Amino acid sequence: MAFKRQIDRLPIIPADARKQTAVCHFCIVGCGYHAYSWDINKQGGTAPDQNVFGVDLAEQQGAETEAWYSPSMYNIVKQDGRDVHLVIKPDPGCVVNSGLGSVRGARMAELSYSEARSTQQQRLTAPLVWRYGSMMPTSWDDALDLVARVTAAVVEEQGEDGVIVSAFDHGGAGGGYENTWGTGKLYFGAMKVENIRIHNRPAYNSEVHGTRDMGVGELNNCYEDAELADTIMAVGTNALETQTNYFLNHWVPNLRGASLAKKQAELPDEAHSAGRIIIVDPRRTLTVNACEVEAGKDNVLHLAIKSGTDLALFNALFTYIADQDWVDRDFIEASTLRDGASRPPLYPARGVSEATPGHLTSFEAAVEGCRISLEEAAEITGLDPADIVKAAEWIAMPKEGGARRRTMFGYEKGLIWGNDNYRTNGALVNLALATGNVGRPGGGVVRLGGHQEGYVRPNESHVGRPAAYVDQLLIGGRGGVHHIWGCDHYKTTLNAQEFKRVYKRRTDMVKDAMNAVPAGDRDAQVAAIVNAIRQGGLFAVDVDIVPTKIGEACHVVLPAATSGEMNLTSMNGERRMRITERYMDPPGEALPDCLIAARLANHMERVLREAGNDAYADQFQGFDWQTEEDAFIDGYQANAHGGEHVTYARLRAMGTNGFQEPATGVEGDVIQGTKRLYTEGVFSTDDGKARFMDAPWRGLEAPGKVEQQANHRFLINNGRANVVWQSAYLDQANDFVMDRWPYPYIEMHPDDMADLGLGEGDLVEVYNDVGYTQAMALPTATARPGETFMLFAFPTGVQGNVVNAGTNELVIPNYKQTWADIRKLSDAPRAVAHLSFKSREYSTG
Amino acid sequence: MKRCKALVDVGRRQFLRGSATSAAGAAAAAFVAQPARRAQAAARVDYPSARLANIADLVVDEPFNIAYPDEGSPGVLLKFGHAVTGGVGPDGDIVGFSTLCPHKGFPLLFSAEDRVFNCPGHYSRFDPEKGGLQIWGQSTQNLPQFVLTVDDAGDIHAQGVDELIYGRLSNVLA
């Protein structure tokens, strides 16, 4: 039976309810919401003067009404220690989402910690330490003292190289400017940690070094550009399921022709028509389906390339467009490097240096370097040459009347976690630069994003480039203490099976040592831990909002607050910065990450001073923050570009629309922002000129991929599902989600299933040269035979187990190009008997 | 069924009600509801017991328009010819659902081909053979299903609803 809440009425928001700004803390789109709260003993009424909507709620409300909220938008939470009703509903006045709520964001209230309604009871409420063979609650001071003593001891023996850090660097959720600054100041200010990695990749690097090296920051346009573009080119992104309301509220109006009036008003001197879309993806996604529904099949070009061959396609488009001279000569002349250096000696096998695996050059040199014929590209990509030509025409052929075609290029994990990240990224940016589609309405070459962003930290250049491959350090026995902030590598890293095997062994050594001495004897505990570390053990500290899989291996677990339990600022995919106000208390003793970092710094300073190391202790000063706003002032205001204009008070006043970074000034109390970057044609390089990239195709680039492809039958493509946010860290305790997908699904063509003797819902093992995992077979008629797609980072079957350790030169993982074999584990278990296996594609019959 | 042209034309922010292709029409003539009441103190609302149709009115795979708990809440009865989740009647094959999408209240369209409700607003799909499970979509609820009984005369009655219906904060309006 499908999960039903059996809720048939909800308390009504009274007219005088408290109303605060909230931004969805999940995906990068950052939809605007309002958090309404009111006393537990009160409620509004149906009469217009008794409710916040001012309408008669005794009547049925129409479609898209503001005056309705679903049970998932409601909860009872603590506010300053008192129970209050809470409704978090989408804001019709927010330009990002115009009142739309996705299946993820519209569950924010239900995904909040509630003692009264028993939601998210998994949340961590107290610090925990390994004591007497299990995790036991303790005080903050006790837990932090242990962490500080062990950390100080490791630094004394190994230097700061012994401190290995995994830390989120995103906005939303537990991130935001406050918390990235807090952790950043600890590890890059007080310390100079080099062995640090980010939540979703095994090193401290950019996912998009290519575009940045070319001088083009990756979030350079605005969401309105998707409404103004003649053509949207979407690469490796399933926007309907992963940037839902950006797609629904800004792409779809263009595809429907509903933004024509806006095009004519803003760009009156050229011809306009409804938008067309090119989608580059080996898989027919639900985004393709929706685009066909909206634009008609004639206006949707799905280029279903062979997995990992994007670079050959982009180079063929670049070659063809250049040969047709459909390029923006004036822009190239004025804004890009005109005399490029000659190719480095070992190019294309090697780049300029280890740090720069490409060759940045002029337009002309790049065209010659990237040159590939339509026929050769068709052979590599598996596409029809005519479709490549059609794509080139849609991207760059001048419009009726001769005007330049406006094309927006959006890309995400299919490219970022795909083959030859650096050069593929560069090859796509080549297309945008050549056609003058950066910094102009209807253009942009942008990553579409995962999380929101919230990065401001002290200078990190000491980390170096290529950065350390931290997972390999841990597997190789390096490091003595591991500080983990909001990461769960057990679910989300590559080569996960080997990582877990070694990590468990190393952390178990420390657990065994701790078991051997009394927990109450701190000196003996620290001595035992340090001794175990000398033998190859690892002491692990996990800061998170929920218990994680990697947390099971840790010795100290510290409870963090999340968005809404603290004031938290972030920016979305068009650099739109907003504040989420604190609308509820954190669970138990949980604290914002920035304050956890500050208190840890305080303890480090004390422990070091007690040990007589005053010089090192002094480095841990400057952490006397009492609130997250203190961290914001110390971090964002003092360090972000334009940060001096931004205050909590101004952000509160600017609500869900905020402003677009960077801030350029203040008029009255209104922060002035930046709608698009590079509108003046000056780029982020020393000389202000953008670079093209000479980036020829070189096959599957990451180590081990060619062999894996040759030796295993199925492509194990992987990614996200609409209903699940990220690693399901909150969804794993949400009945609605876990009822829908008890196990990660693997999309398979029905013929492949028949061949393997599989029925719908059967559990299968996915196995290859590096590991094995499980999934639930999901028959998918649109899947290509031999090509599967598995839900990534799900707790009941970790796809990363079968992703090999191969990365590109800059340690960017290559999750997407994974091949494995599949065999049946069991018939469909009882837990999936209630599921529907009908097609997920919208159909009008 | 062709997609409602009006919806394509007016765009997302302007929803035109009463499309010809909607499975959710006006209240069926068979609807005879008792006056709805709302119990102030009860944990759940008291539902009217309403005769919605007779089994003889139903044709396999053809939605039969009804409204429940009152005229403002459109729904359909469906007979599948084989037992389904929550099905009533001698063959366990009759179910009833609200046809307002619980995401944004657009009227759902029934596709007999695969026996699925489709939402023209944002492409959500619900499976009436599986208790209204959202196959895919933006709703944070599965589709509200009506609790049905069938009496000896073959009359189908609704007795309750298992989820909150779109557009009302109480399934039974005060």
Side-chain angles (χ1 to χ4, degrees):
Chain A
M1 185 70 189
F3 169 71
K4 297 291 175 72
R5 293 182 183 80
Q6 303 293 340
I7 288 175
D8 49 19
R9 63 174 167 176
L10 289 171
I12 292 171
I13 306 175
D16 61 351
R18 185 179 187 191
K19 179 181 179 182
Q20 292 172 285
T21 296
V23 177
C24 180
H25 47 91
F26 300 139
C27 92
I28 185 157
V29 178
C31 293
Y33 281 73
H34 283 129
Y36 296 90
S37 55
W38 67 99
D39 191 86
I40 190 67
N41 293 321
K42 294 182 178 171
Q43 63 173 314
T46 54
D49 62 346
Q50 293 175 332
N51 65 69
V52 74
F53 308 113
V55 303
D56 181 2
L57 294 175
E59 293 180 355
Q60 171 75 23
Q61 306 297 309
E64 300 194 298
T65 179
E66 187 180 355
W68 187 74
Y69 35 98
S70 67
S72 68
M73 299 182 202
Y74 171 78
N75 215 333
I76 296 172
V77 300
K78 288 265 196 270
Q79 198 176 76
D80 301 324
R82 291 173 54 83
D83 277 337
V84 293
H85 298 278
L86 174 73
V87 169
I88 306 178
K89 59 188 292 297
D91 175 16
C94 177
V95 296
V96 173
N97 54 308
S98 303
L100 287 170
S102 79
V103 68
R104 300 171 301 280
R107 289 185 290 114
M108 272 191 290
E110 182 175 79
L111 293 173
S112 298
Y113 178 77
S114 172
E115 290 171 332
R117 296 178 78 243
S118 294
T119 56
Q120 291 297 318
Q121 291 299 290
Q122 62 164 342
R123 286 288 303 272
L124 296 166
T125 57
L128 306 169
V129 296
W130 184 258
R131 195 188 279 160
Y132 315 126
S134 64
M135 296 305 284
M136 293 287 177
T138 195
S139 67
W140 274 107
D141 278 343
D142 180 61
L144 290 173
D145 177 77
L146 180 62
V147 174
R149 284 181 191 281
V150 173
T151 303
V154 166
V155 171
E156 187 169 322
E157 294 208 356
Q158 302 186 20
E160 288 180 348
D161 278 357
V163 180
I164 293 187
V165 178
S166 297
F168 60 81
D169 76 343
H170 52 70
Y177 288 110
E178 294 79 5
N179 295 326
T180 57
W181 175 253
T183 49
K185 187 172 181 179
L186 177 61
Y187 298 112
F188 295 161
M191 292 187 254
K192 291 286 179 202
V193 167
E194 289 183 15
N195 296 331
I196 179 169
R197 58 159 284 175
I198 300 172
H199 51 279
N200 62 359
R201 51 197 189 270
Y204 203 82
N205 50 12
S206 167
E207 293 168 319
V208 289
H209 278 305
T211 190
R212 290 185 184 179
D213 287 355
M214 295 164 79
V216 183
E218 66 271 21
L219 298 177
N220 48 65
N221 76 353
C222 60
Y223 283 178
E224 190 186 68
D225 286 323
E227 300 173 42
L228 298 176
D230 295 300
T231 302
I232 297 172
M233 181 169 179
V235 178
T237 173
N238 179 16
L240 172 60
E241 296 196 82
T242 57
Q243 293 100 16
T244 299
N245 293 330
Y246 179 27
F247 179 83
L248 293 175
N249 203 35
H250 300 279
W251 295 26
V252 166
N254 190 2
L255 299 175
R256 284 181 171 177
S259 63
L260 268 173
K262 182 180 272 188
K263 289 181 178 183
Q264 275 146 6
E266 294 198 17
L267 308 163
D269 300 324
E270 59 192 80
H272 293 291
S273 53
R276 295 192 288 203
I277 187 164
I278 301 164
I279 298 171
V280 181
D281 199 312
R283 179 174 66 127
R284 180 180 164 86
T285 59
L286 294 176
T287 300
V288 177
N289 169 235
C291 289
E292 289 178 352
V293 168
E294 299 296 354
K297 288 187 178 182
D298 290 348
N299 294 310
V300 179
L301 180 57
H302 176 207
L303 298 177
I305 58 172
K306 292 179 188 170
S307 177
T309 63
D310 311 59
L311 178 57
L313 169 64
F314 301 160
N315 284 350
L317 294 169
F318 189 40
T319 303
Y320 189 85
I321 287 168
D323 288 352
Q324 299 299 315
D325 203 26
W326 291 338
V327 299
D328 190 334
R329 288 278 167 198
D330 292 343
F331 173 83
I332 291 169
E333 202 61 50
S335 298
T336 69
L337 183 73
R338 297 308 296 131
D339 28 299
S342 54
R343 271 187 167 185
L346 295 176
Y347 212 72
R350 298 253 183 92
V352 178
S353 69
E354 270 195 72
T356 313
H359 174 223
L360 305 175
T361 187
S362 66
F363 168 70
E364 289 79 7
V367 169
E368 290 319 305
C370 295
R371 182 167 288 283
I372 186 171
S373 69
L374 287 173
E375 292 68 29
E376 191 183 350
E379 174 68 25
I380 293 167
T381 58
L383 297 175
D384 181 341
D387 279 341
I388 301 177
V389 171
K390 188 176 182 183
E393 290 171 351
W394 285 18
I395 291 167
M397 190 165 75
K399 296 197 280 187
E400 177 191 340
R404 188 182 61 83
R405 196 167 291 275
R406 297 177 187 274
T407 299
M408 173 189 133
F409 302 83
Y411 60 95
E412 195 40 44
K413 290 296 192 293
L415 187 158
I416 289 169
W417 292 158
N419 176 42
D420 211 352
N421 160 298
Y422 187 86
R423 295 188 189 177
T424 305
N425 188 192
L428 185 64
V429 178
N430 281 347
L431 286 172
L433 289 173
T435 56
N437 274 305
V438 188
R440 292 171 174 176
V445 54
V446 294
R447 68 168 299 180
L448 296 174
H451 287 273
Q452 286 180 73
E453 303 293 335
Y455 190 95
V456 59
R457 277 178 175 160
N459 187 298
E460 81 297 348
S461 57
H462 64 277
V463 171
R465 181 173 148 173
Y469 191 159
V470 168
D471 284 19
Q472 291 299 318
L473 296 180
L474 287 166
I475 289 170
R478 300 269 300 278
V481 60
H482 187 198
H483 293 187
I484 307 162
W485 299 78
C487 304
D488 193 356
H489 308 323
Y490 273 32
K491 284 193 294 187
T492 61
T493 200
L494 67 168
N495 193 26
Q497 185 157 312
E498 175 68 0
F499 180 88
K500 286 181 273 197
R501 187 184 69 80
V502 175
Y503 200 87
K504 180 174 188 303
R505 180 175 56 75
R506 294 188 66 192
T507 51
D508 277 351
M509 290 170 69
V510 171
K511 285 182 176 175
D512 291 343
M514 293 174 79
N515 291 343
V517 290
D521 186 341
R522 178 55 40 96
D523 289 341
Q525 279 280 320
V526 173
I529 292 166
V530 169
N531 190 50
I533 290 170
R534 289 189 191 119
Q535 313 300 316
L538 184 72
F539 182 77
V541 183
D542 186 33
V543 186
D544 212 309
I545 63 171
V546 294
T548 58
K549 298 289 186 190
I550 197 171
E552 292 170 13
C554 293
H555 310 94
V556 175
V557 172
L558 303 174
T562 192
S563 183
E565 298 162 359
M566 59 177 289
N567 297 290
L568 188 144
T569 56
S570 302
M571 76 171 191
N572 79 347
E574 56 175 350
R575 294 162 285 99
R576 189 175 295 280
M577 182 176 182
R578 278 80 49 89
I579 189 171
T580 290
E581 299 182 77
R582 175 176 161 146
Y583 51 74
M584 63 179 283
D585 300 346
E589 298 178 82
L591 290 172
D593 293 80
C594 56
L595 297 185
I596 298 173
R599 297 296 86 82
L600 177 54
N602 299 154
H603 278 269
M604 287 293 294
E605 184 188 355
R606 177 184 56 80
V607 165
L608 290 164
R609 223 172 277 294
E610 285 170 8
N613 192 348
D614 279 331
Y616 195 37
D618 286 346
Q619 292 179 212
F620 291 87
Q621 292 182 325
F623 287 94
D624 49 358
W625 312 325
Q626 297 306 308
T627 69
E628 57 271 28
E629 188 170 11
D630 293 339
F632 179 83
I633 291 167
D634 191 53
Y636 189 89
Q637 264 186 26
N639 295 277
H641 181 201
E644 69 273 19
H645 305 301
V646 185
T647 65
Y648 270 18
R650 287 174 184 155
L651 286 172
R652 284 195 185 99
M654 294 180 73
T656 57
N657 287 328
F659 73 96
Q660 288 174 271
E661 294 189 72
T664 58
V666 180
E667 285 181 18
D669 256 340
V670 178
I671 303 165
Q672 304 299 299
T674 308
K675 188 170 182 177
R676 295 181 183 89
L677 303 184
Y678 311 122
T679 51
E680 305 297 321
V682 178
F683 288 88
S684 306
T685 53
D686 290 342
D687 58 11
K689 306 289 188 190
R691 269 71 172 150
F692 284 85
M693 193 186 289
D694 170 4
W697 166 251
R698 54 175 167 167
L700 291 177
E701 177 266 340
K705 297 297 182 184
V706 170
E707 297 79 4
Q708 200 177 61
Q709 182 180 30
N711 294 329
H712 300 285
R713 176 175 171 184
F714 292 100
L715 172 73
I716 313 295
N717 193 359
N718 53 89
R720 306 296 184 183
N722 184 58
V723 73
V724 181
W725 168 244
Q726 219 242 4
S727 64
Y729 58 88
L730 292 178
D731 291 331
Q732 65 189 347
N734 184 259
D735 291 332
F736 176 74
V737 173
M738 295 310 289
D739 175 79
R740 183 67 189 94
W741 298 120
Y743 302 97
Y745 59 75
I746 186 164
E747 297 175 1
M748 298 182 72
H749 190 275
D751 291 349
D752 286 337
M753 287 180 58
D755 192 45
L756 296 176
L758 297 173
E760 59 186 26
D762 286 359
L763 292 185
V764 298
E765 184 169 61
V766 180
Y767 63 104
N768 63 10
D769 52 326
V770 295
Y772 28 89
T773 188
Q774 72 166 1
M776 182 195 74
L778 182 66
T780 305
T782 55
R784 293 196 288 202
E787 297 193 0
T788 71
F789 177 90
M790 180 174 168
L791 179 57
F792 184 74
F794 207 62
T796 51
V798 173
Q799 194 275 338
N801 283 4
V802 294
V803 178
N804 80 358
T807 68
N808 84 341
E809 297 94 332
L810 297 175
V811 202
I812 298 295
N814 190 180
Y815 295 101
K816 301 291 186 182
Q817 278 73 48
T818 293
W819 286 268
D821 293 307
I822 296 172
R823 61 189 161 208
K824 181 169 176 171
L825 286 172
S826 85
D827 289 336
R830 176 66 186 81
V832 308
H834 65 289
L835 296 186
S836 174
F837 292 92
K838 293 177 182 174
S839 168
R840 286 163 291 155
E841 288 206 3
Y842 177 84
S843 162
T844 49
Chain B
M1 257 189 292
K2 293 294 287 181
R3 187 178 149 74
C4 175
K5 189 74 174 70
L7 281 173
V8 178
D9 293 342
V10 299
R12 179 95 34 226
R13 302 297 313 145
Q14 297 161 307
F15 170 64
L16 197 65
R17 292 227 249 167
S19 85
T21 53
S22 169
F31 176 77
V32 188
Q34 294 170 1
R37 329 180 257 115
R38 182 169 163 193
Q40 289 297 318
R44 304 199 65 204
V45 298
D46 287 343
Y47 284 92
S49 177
R51 179 188 176 279
L52 303 176
N54 188 278
I55 288 180
D57 299 329
L58 302 183
V59 178
V60 169
D61 288 348
E62 283 189 15
F64 182 89
N65 288 337
I66 57 160
Y68 182 80
D70 54 63
E71 292 85 343
S73 171
V76 291
L77 295 178
L78 281 162
K79 178 178 172 61
F80 288 119
H82 56 266
V84 296
T85 304
V88 297
D91 301 322
D93 68 337
I94 297 168
V95 289
F97 287 94
S98 166
T99 49
L100 294 179
C101 179
H103 176 226
K104 282 289 175 185
F106 285 57
L108 299 174
L109 313 177
F110 180 73
S111 165
E113 189 181 351
D114 53 3
R115 297 182 298 281
V116 165
F117 289 114
N118 287 283
C119 179
H122 309 93
Y123 330 114
S124 299
R125 284 163 62 78
F126 301 89
D127 190 344
E129 294 182 287
K130 291 287 190 176
L133 186 84
Q134 183 172 239
I135 301 166
W136 185 92
Q138 300 308 330
S139 168
T140 57
Q141 309 177 76
N142 294 309
L143 193 61
Q145 183 166 9
F146 302 139
V147 178
L148 303 179
T149 57
V150 178
D151 66 18
D152 292 345
D155 284 345
I156 303 165
H157 297 261
Q159 311 284 353
V161 188
D162 63 4
E163 272 282 11
L164 193 65
I165 295 167
Y166 183 88
R168 46 181 67 197
L169 293 173
S170 171
N171 276 348
V172 176
L173 295 172

